[in-house]
Amino acid sequence: MTTPVVSIAYHSGFGHTAVIAEAVRAGAVEAGAEVHLIKVDEITEEQWAILDASDAIVFGSPTYMGTASGAFHVFAEATSKRWAERAWTDKLAAGFTNSASKSGDKLHTLQFFQILAAQLGMHWVNLGLLPGWNHSAGSENDINRLGFFAGAAAQTNADQGPEAVHKADVATAEHLGRRVTETAKTFALGRAAVAA
């Protein structure tokens, strides 16, 4: 079986979301993927080609004013050529976001990613974790401490830098990277079996 190619297409305004992107990368590498980190506000034609050749694309952005950042929206609109050509049909997709508030309308950002993926004909990979920190024996150090299902969500205080990204949120993002990679392997095996 070939090594799955996972690309992480993300924007980070102040560095917090970049920490989460790196955690997704680490999890995907640990699970055996070839991984590319692509900053969507600096994307090149070569990087568009990498996305076109990827088995999975993980979208990432901070949540600003209840949705993905403006820079990510510019990237999303630029995928319209791929939409018209159905170039990303049947690729896997997943997503992650960060905001200063515990909720911060992060779900809306993840739903924006899901709809973008659906329009592009992609298959969404959810987080696949039960929520943490939702009972008396729980802790803010639980994986998926914010209790999201659609993707990985992180919270970082607005007055702190990227070094303050919560370790549990990093672990949750690493899990997402592993899950996307394992799902890509399963899809590849299934396609090979169908072809045989």
Side-chain angles (χ1 to χ4, degrees), residues 132-142:
W133 200 21
N134 66 352
H135 53 83
S136 61
S139 154
E140 70 170 300
N141 297 309
D142 292 345

Side-chain angles (χ1 to χ4, degrees), residues 4-7 47-57 87-88 91:
V5 178
V6 176
S7 289
Q47 289 172 323
W48 278 111
I50 290 170
L51 292 175
D52 293 340
S54 296
D55 298 298
I57 302 172
W88 292 359
K91 291 185 185 298

Side-chain angles (χ1 to χ4, degrees), residues 9-13 17-18 38-41 60-62 64 69-72 96:
Y10 76 99
H11 173 248
S12 184
T17 308
I38 296 173
K39 296 179 181 179
V40 299
D41 54 332
S61 169
Y64 293 155
S69 66
F72 193 92
F96 60 91

Side-chain angles (χ1 to χ4, degrees), residues 49-149:
I50 290 170
L51 292 175
D52 293 340
S54 296
D55 298 298
I57 302 172
V58 184
F59 301 130
S61 169
T63 295
Y64 293 155
M65 304 307 291
T67 188
S69 66
F72 193 92
H73 275 267
V74 169
F75 163 77
E77 289 183 24
T79 66
S80 62
K81 178 180 177 187
R82 272 77 188 167
W83 170 81
E85 297 172 352
R86 309 313 291 155
W88 292 359
T89 296
D90 291 334
K91 291 185 185 298
L92 299 179
F96 60 91
T97 188
N98 180 80
S99 71
S101 298
K102 296 290 190 289
S103 171
D105 292 322
K106 287 188 271 282
L107 177 59
H108 186 259
T109 299
L110 293 172
Q111 289 172 329
F112 169 71
F113 294 156
Q114 288 177 313
I115 291 169
L116 175 64
Q119 289 179 334
L120 290 161
M122 304 171 79
H123 301 289
W124 189 259
V125 179
N126 60 52
L127 187 57
L129 287 174
L130 291 172
W133 200 21
N134 66 352
H135 53 83
S136 61
S139 154
E140 70 170 300
N141 297 309
D142 292 345
I143 192 167
N144 196 21
R145 71 187 181 111
L146 300 177
F148 281 75
F149 296 91

